[in-house]
């Protein structure tokens, strides 16, 4: 990912300040905390403020399309440079911020999705979470919070959850990724406006190992073939 844990882990005071500011932002006038924020851990790093400022600058320089399908999440989204060409039939907007976790998407949901009043949101997150030791249940709970925040602000907006991809560099995490994806798929199946897309199994070879041919030399991020596969998996669920 773009930022290594060692390079970005903030001090305790910075995390506490970020958490306080975020909690203040989500409090109602009466002092109550928004339901989606209850139990939510602080952002993984306050450095995301730089990415949010970059999105502001991009919007000012190039106004985003009206009612886009917003793709957000970690570097698998951020590095999808052919996104608009891959889905010419719908207006799309890339708001990925590499290295992020699900909780970061929750805290920054307004900057990466809500303010665009999207017709649909596609989220890819959880990859970094499990790599940093967060459990399948934590990823599910944070994902539920993300959807709750979206639906509190924009009722009826459909959300697509992409399963965690199996990458060669994180092959040791395959059991955790499988369990996380199972929880996400089961939960999404019980929701009216949430869909789960399995990118995990199509990216495995006949022996159940991540397909090396879909990845860059770092064995973590996808190459053009990997994104071509994702394109075909995601296209059927997009809102035209």
């Amino acid at each position: 990912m773009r930022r290594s844990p060692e390079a970005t882990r903030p001090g305790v005071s910075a995390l506490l300040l970020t958490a306080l500011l975020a909690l203040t932002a989500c409090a109602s006038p009466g002092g109550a905390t928004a339901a989606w924020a209850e139990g939510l851990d602080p952002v993984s790093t306050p450095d995301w403020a730089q990415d949010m400022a970059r999105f502001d600058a991009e919007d000012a320089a190039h106004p985003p399309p009206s009612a886009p399908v917003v793709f957000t999440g970690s570097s698998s989204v951020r590095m999808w440079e052919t996104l608009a060409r891959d889905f010419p039939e719908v207006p799309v907007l890339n708001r990925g911020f590499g290295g992020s976790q699900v909780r970061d998407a929750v805290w920054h949901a307004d900057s990466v999705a809500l303010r665009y009043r999207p017709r649909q949101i596609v989220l890819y997150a959880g990859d970094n979470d499990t790599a940093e030791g967060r459990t399948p249940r934590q990823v599910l709970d944070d994902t539920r919070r993300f959807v709750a925040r979206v639906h509190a602000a924009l009722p009826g907006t459909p959300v697509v959850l992409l399963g965690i991809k199996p990458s060669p560099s994180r092959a040791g995490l395959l059991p955790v990724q499988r369990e996380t994806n199972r929880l996400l798929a089961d939960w999404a199946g019980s929701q009216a406006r949430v869909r789960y897309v399995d990118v995990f199994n199509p990216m495995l070879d006949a022996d159940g190992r991540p397909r090396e041919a879909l990845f860059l030399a770092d064995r973590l991020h996808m190459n053009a073939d990997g994104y071509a596969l994702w394109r075909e998996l995601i296209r059927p669920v997009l809102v035209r």
Side-chain angles (χ1 to χ4, degrees):
M1 296 298 173
R2 180 182 52 169
R3 297 179 171 93
S4 67
E6 293 77 13
T8 62
R9 185 172 291 114
V12 174
S13 60
L15 274 177
L16 289 175
L17 176 60
T18 303
L20 178 61
L21 292 174
L23 285 171
T24 301
C26 73
S28 68
T33 299
W36 56 263
E38 294 178 1
L40 180 62
D41 287 337
V43 292
S44 64
T45 170
D47 291 348
W48 302 132
Q50 300 171 25
D51 293 79
M52 302 309 122
R54 173 170 56 85
F55 294 148
D56 289 343
E58 290 177 4
D59 290 346
H62 305 286
S66 176
V69 175
V70 170
F71 284 69
T72 191
S74 57
S75 59
S76 291
V77 174
R78 181 181 64 85
M79 297 174 66
W80 198 338
E81 297 178 353
T82 61
L83 187 66
R85 295 198 302 274
D86 286 341
F87 301 108
E89 65 273 25
V90 295
V92 297
L93 183 64
N94 189 323
R95 283 297 175 261
F97 49 123
S100 62
Q101 299 182 21
V102 183
R103 55 187 160 145
D104 301 317
V106 182
W107 285 120
H108 293 291
D110 185 68
S111 292
V112 302
L114 302 181
R115 62 177 170 179
Y116 303 109
R117 302 194 66 82
R119 68 182 65 193
Q120 185 178 37
I121 298 171
V122 179
L123 175 70
Y124 179 76
D127 201 333
N128 296 315
D129 307 56
T130 53
E132 288 298 305
R134 290 180 75 79
T135 67
R137 177 59 61 175
Q138 285 177 306
V139 174
L140 172 64
D141 288 345
D142 287 348
T143 302
R144 293 175 67 174
R145 292 183 180 101
F146 177 81
V147 173
R149 181 167 189 191
V150 169
H151 288 162
L154 301 173
T157 302
V159 178
V160 174
L161 306 176
L162 305 182
I164 299 173
K165 72 182 190 302
S167 57
S169 69
R170 292 178 174 174
L173 291 172
L174 290 179
V176 175
Q177 292 173 341
R178 281 194 180 94
E179 176 61 12
T180 304
N181 288 339
R182 184 190 67 80
L183 291 176
L184 291 172
D186 288 350
W187 178 73
S190 70
Q191 305 300 302
R193 301 180 303 282
V194 183
R195 295 191 65 167
Y196 173 83
V197 173
D198 176 21
V199 301
F200 182 89
N201 288 297
M203 297 182 74
L204 299 175
D205 63 19
D207 296 319
R209 296 174 300 198
R211 293 163 56 187
E212 295 270 1
L214 300 176
F215 291 86
L216 297 172
D218 66 5
R219 305 177 76 233
L220 176 60
H221 299 104
M222 294 183 294
N223 59 23
D225 290 336
Y227 283 113
L229 175 61
W230 274 30
R231 179 189 65 212
E232 298 310 310
L233 294 171
I234 296 169
R235 173 171 282 130
V237 305
L238 293 185
V239 173
R240 271 48 173 190

